[in-house]
Amino acid sequence: MGGKRHRGKVTPEVIEEMKSLREKGMSYQKIANRLGLNVMTVYNHLKKEEKVEPMEEKEEKVEEEKEEKVEEEKEEKVGLIERLKRALGRK
């Protein structure tokens, strides 16, 4: 019922196949059976991959928030300068 048995290190190609099957809705057990792997091997590799992607997204979000904060600070400084100019009677 299962596919080829993999021994030793799981290759990047096998991990890509795991991800592809998982995206199609296949269970960890069915992926393991199809690829001839232990279900925990499949689970561990897919969970490891899932943890990497959100971290990249988090880094992008942090970078965007930093840029937004810099823009807000610029606007606040411009507003402060304008108020000071008005207070001093300058344009």
Side-chain angles (χ1 to χ4, degrees):
M1 192 178 196
K4 287 193 239 175
R5 272 278 183 220
H6 290 276
R7 298 277 183 217
K9 188 172 183 178
V10 177
T11 65
E13 292 80 14
V14 172
I15 294 171
E16 287 302 315
E17 180 69 12
M18 287 182 208
K19 290 190 321 189
S20 173
L21 294 171
R22 185 69 178 154
E23 288 171 0
K24 293 176 183 174
M26 192 174 284
S27 71
Y28 294 117
Q29 186 64 59
K30 287 183 180 179
I31 295 169
N33 290 343
R34 177 173 287 185
L35 298 177
L37 297 167
N38 181 290
V39 67
M40 288 308 297
T41 300
V42 172
Y43 176 83
N44 289 333
H45 280 283
L46 290 176
K47 285 300 174 187
K48 188 187 313 179
E49 291 293 317
E50 288 173 11
K51 288 179 183 176
V52 170
E53 292 176 23
M55 184 55 129
E56 291 170 352
E57 291 172 10
K58 184 177 180 181
E59 288 172 354
E60 288 175 8
K61 185 177 179 182
V62 167
E63 189 62 35
E64 288 173 6
E65 288 172 356
K66 283 181 184 178
E67 290 173 6
E68 288 174 7
K69 187 173 181 178
V70 166
E71 286 301 314
E72 288 173 6
E73 288 174 353
K74 282 181 186 178
E75 290 173 10
E76 286 176 17
K77 288 177 183 177
V78 168
L80 178 61
I81 291 170
E82 292 302 318
R83 287 193 304 275
L84 285 171
K85 285 180 180 179
R86 281 194 300 269
L88 295 172
R90 299 182 184 163
K91 286 190 176 186

